[in-house]
Structure formats: structure tokens, C-alpha cells
């Protein structure tokens, strides 16, 4: 992945016990697919959606990369009834430095576009 690459991500929840996530780097054409499975006793919730930037918990001792600004465009999700959900109706949460409690990102949503700015 390189600076300014466009990554298309989409997820499909096929059932309470199976879902798939696809990520495609539109510059290189590389596609990564991941299957999610769950037991009937602990089904996939199919009740919420999150657009997020996170750091690998195993990389806690490494600093967050200075990505300047990340833009997620055409961000939406729909339920089985076709009801559309977009970031502009979401709870926006900034990342915080665990030691200083200072914000390290600023998050904004406009309709179906989400901006995460590194401070």
C-alpha cells in the first residue's frame, strides 16, 4: 500500500453465523478477503456498523503513523430491509493518547464521507 492509494472495503453478513470482508487496493488490484464465523450461541450481531481507524493492540509500544488525513468516501451500510446508515448519523470518537489523554485525531462526518485527521 502506498500514500494516496484508494482502498475499497465492503462487508457482507450472509447469516448470523457467517460474514465476509473484502478489501481491494484499486491502484494495485490486490484483493484480500476475510471470512468471519460465529456459533449460533454467539451470532454476529447484524445490528450495528462501524467505520474505524485503529492501531493493532499488539503494537501498543509503537507510535501511530502520522497519516495526516484519512478520508472514507461513499461510506454506508444497509440492513436486510434496505434501510441505509451513513457516518453523519454515527457517534464520532477521536483517538486519545493513553498516557496524556490528549486527542491524537479529529473526526468529522459529512453525509457519507468520514474524515480522520491526525493532530
Amino acid at each position: 500500500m502506498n500514500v494516496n492509494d484508494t482502498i475499497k472495503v465492503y462487508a457482507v453478513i450472509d447469516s448470523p453465523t457467517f460474514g465476509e470482508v473484502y478489501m481491494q487496493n484499486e491502484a494495485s488490484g490486490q484483493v484480500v478477503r476475510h471470512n468471519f464465523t460465529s456459533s449460533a450461541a454467539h451470532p454476529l450481531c447484524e445490528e450495528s456498523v462501524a467505520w474505524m481507524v485503529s492501531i493493532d493492540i499488539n503494537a501498543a509500544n509503537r507510535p501511530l503513523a502520522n497519516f495526516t488525513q484519512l478520508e472514507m468516501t461513499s461510506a454506508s451500510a444497509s440492513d436486510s430491509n434496505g434501510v441505509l446508515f451513513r457516518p453523519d448519523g454515527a457517534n464520532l470518537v477521536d483517538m486519545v493518547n493513553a498516557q496524556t489523554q490528549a486527542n491524537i485525531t479529529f473526526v468529522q462526518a459529512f453525509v457519507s464521507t468520514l474524515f480522520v485527521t491526525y493532530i
Side-chain angles (χ1 to χ4, degrees):
M1 183 167 26
N2 297 301
V3 172
N4 294 321
D5 280 1
T6 298
I7 309 299
K8 182 177 182 178
V9 179
Y10 59 97
V12 177
I13 305 301
D14 298 312
S15 74
T17 58
F18 183 77
E20 303 164 289
V21 174
Y22 298 88
M23 295 186 295
Q24 179 179 6
N25 183 324
E26 292 188 340
S28 70
Q30 180 183 10
V31 176
V32 175
R33 175 181 168 201
H34 182 77
N35 294 330
F36 290 92
T37 57
S38 184
S39 69
H42 298 93
L44 300 171
C45 73
E46 300 180 86
E47 295 177 1
S48 64
V49 63
W51 297 274
M52 56 196 300
V53 176
S54 66
I55 188 167
D56 181 352
I57 196 162
N58 296 320
N61 294 327
R62 291 187 297 205
L64 182 65
N66 181 349
F67 51 81
T68 308
Q69 187 175 71
L70 176 73
E71 182 178 341
M72 297 181 203
T73 59
S74 302
S76 66
S78 61
D79 66 13
S80 60
N81 296 317
V83 176
L84 189 65
F85 300 92
R86 299 183 309 217
D88 62 342
N91 293 324
L92 304 178
V93 179
D94 295 315
M95 295 175 99
V96 175
N97 180 303
Q99 295 173 345
T100 67
Q101 297 302 304
N103 284 14
I104 57 175
T105 63
F106 175 65
V107 181
Q108 296 174 288
F110 300 98
V111 189
S112 62
T113 301
L114 188 69
F115 296 95
V116 181
T117 304
Y118 184 86
I119 300 173

